[in-house]
Amino acid sequence: SSVKFLMSSPEIASLSWGQMKVQGSTKIYKDCKVWPGGSRDWDWRETGTEHSPGVQPADVEEVVEKGVQILVIGRGMSEALKVPPSTVEYLKKKGIDVRVLQTEQAVKEYNALATQGIRVGGVFHSTC
């Protein structure tokens, strides 16, 4: 049914350096957050995020609130973006399986899970 489709995790349609497209959106993202039913820009200025120390709980909180079972974090093409243990702990405490990968690998993993109908979310960094 269409309702189930709307609430399924949208696939990442394309990824290249500095550009990501997500199914269901016409926008071109540099960095993006994706969850069952939607996506948006991941603007690091909102949380004061930098490559180091890296992804903060505040960066993933919004995706967590959408009720995801798995969260995939794309650390960039050359994995410049760090993911501190505190963020992994935060996710585990919420009962979420977290997978931290290089962005191309992260997108493959995320899309494979989304195709299986799993409630998966992601935050992806598309440059270094």
Side-chain angles (χ1 to χ4, degrees):
S1 71
S2 59
V3 175
K4 186 188 175 298
F5 173 73
L6 285 175
M7 287 317 294
S8 63
S9 300
E11 283 184 55
I12 309 288
S14 70
L15 165 70
S16 57
W17 183 273
Q19 294 194 342
M20 296 187 72
K21 284 185 184 166
V22 181
Q23 219 174 28
S25 171
T26 54
K27 288 196 70 170
I28 293 175
Y29 299 117
K30 182 169 96 67
D31 300 320
C32 69
K33 299 185 185 193
V34 189
W35 59 82
S39 63
R40 79 170 183 98
D41 272 312
W42 177 16
D43 183 352
W44 291 14
R45 287 168 301 197
E46 287 174 18
T47 49
T49 294
E50 293 178 355
H51 286 93
S52 183
V55 183
Q56 306 176 73
D59 291 306
V60 294
E61 191 175 22
E62 179 181 7
V63 179
V64 166
E65 284 167 3
K66 308 287 184 187
V68 297
Q69 297 163 291
I70 301 174
L71 183 84
V72 182
I73 301 177
R75 295 185 49 204
M77 298 299 203
S78 44
E79 300 182 89
L81 177 61
K82 295 192 164 80
V83 181
S86 55
T87 299
V88 175
E89 273 310 300
Y90 163 82
L91 290 161
K92 285 187 172 157
K93 280 201 180 103
K94 299 269 185 191
I96 294 166
D97 176 7
V98 58
R99 306 191 183 174
V100 178
L101 297 158
Q102 185 265 0
T103 296
E104 287 156 313
Q105 297 307 317
V107 165
K108 278 191 188 119
E109 178 80 359
Y110 169 89
N111 278 348
L113 293 163
T115 310
Q116 291 166 40
I118 291 165
R119 290 184 64 83
V120 58
V123 295
F124 302 98
H125 178 49
S126 75
T127 55
C128 57

